Amino acid sequence: MKTYILLFRGINVGGRNILPMADLRLLLQQNGFDAVQTYIQSGNVILKGKTKPGESVIREIEAGFGFRPEMIVLGEDEFDAAVEHNPYDLADGKSVHFYFLQHEPQPDRAKLMALASETERFEIKGKVFYLQAPDGIGRSKLVAGLEKCLGVPATGRNLNTINKLRQMAETV
């Protein structure tokens, strides 16, 4: 069995796309996945499976909860590589963000640079967009325009969440 990290996009945000984590864990267990764990309510899942979770999970969520979430699935080795390639300070848990991309991006670098504030720095490595935002991301024009500039769907997690998920994956 292989360990997978599932990152759902846009669930349990602003009272929309409600998916209780207990229900998600049960759904995944009923689909043959083992050692299913979730972290916070924003759709972070660690599990073990003989096969990679895919479209059938999304279809079941849609049938049971009335919306079709986007899900990025990473093997433990892919996730670890993303952490290893982080170009920013590992102690900067709230200011460093990883945006996992559905596909290889076709970035509009000029637009990205134009949207970035004076304090924001970013790098793209493979299917991960790394952002250091010491002033936060709540009002970031870069974050607001990120998917448009990259040309692919993305879901972001701060370094604190990444570190917790990595710790959880090691103990599954």
Side-chain angles (χ1 to χ4, degrees), residues 9-159:
R9 179 175 175 244
I11 66 169
N12 299 329
V13 177
R16 295 184 27 232
N17 297 340
I18 302 301
L19 178 55
M21 292 299 99
D23 293 346
L24 179 57
R25 285 190 300 273
L26 181 60
L27 181 147
L28 291 165
Q29 290 165 349
Q30 290 171 339
N31 279 273
F33 297 103
D34 293 326
V36 180
Q37 299 177 46
T38 57
Y39 177 66
I40 62 178
Q41 295 297 311
S42 59
N44 303 295
V45 181
I46 308 289
L47 54 72
K48 286 197 171 287
K50 292 177 185 169
T51 61
K52 185 175 181 176
E55 183 64 27
S56 64
V57 170
I58 294 170
R59 280 194 308 268
E60 286 202 31
I61 292 170
E62 184 176 28
F65 298 92
F67 68 93
R68 185 176 179 78
E70 289 190 38
M71 174 180 76
I72 293 179
V73 180
L74 302 161
E76 188 175 14
D77 54 342
E78 278 181 283
F79 188 79
D80 287 345
V83 174
E84 296 300 322
H85 293 117
N86 170 26
Y88 302 112
D89 186 351
L90 293 176
D92 201 3
K94 288 186 180 182
S95 297
V96 173
H97 303 267
F98 291 52
Y99 287 85
F100 293 91
L101 312 176
Q102 197 69 264
H103 310 285
E104 287 284 331
Q106 298 297 319
D108 182 334
R109 290 190 183 274
K111 269 190 180 175
L112 288 167
M113 293 299 292
L115 291 174
S117 74
E118 289 182 16
T119 61
E120 292 175 329
R121 296 184 317 169
F122 65 86
E123 284 193 38
I124 304 167
K125 295 184 179 184
K127 295 192 305 184
V128 184
F129 178 90
Y130 299 92
L131 172 65
Q132 184 178 39
D135 298 330
I137 61 170
R139 296 183 189 161
S140 171
K141 291 178 183 178
L142 177 58
V143 171
L146 187 62
E147 289 179 317
K148 195 172 212 173
C149 292
L150 294 175
V152 296
T155 187
R157 302 297 189 271
N158 72 25
L159 183 56

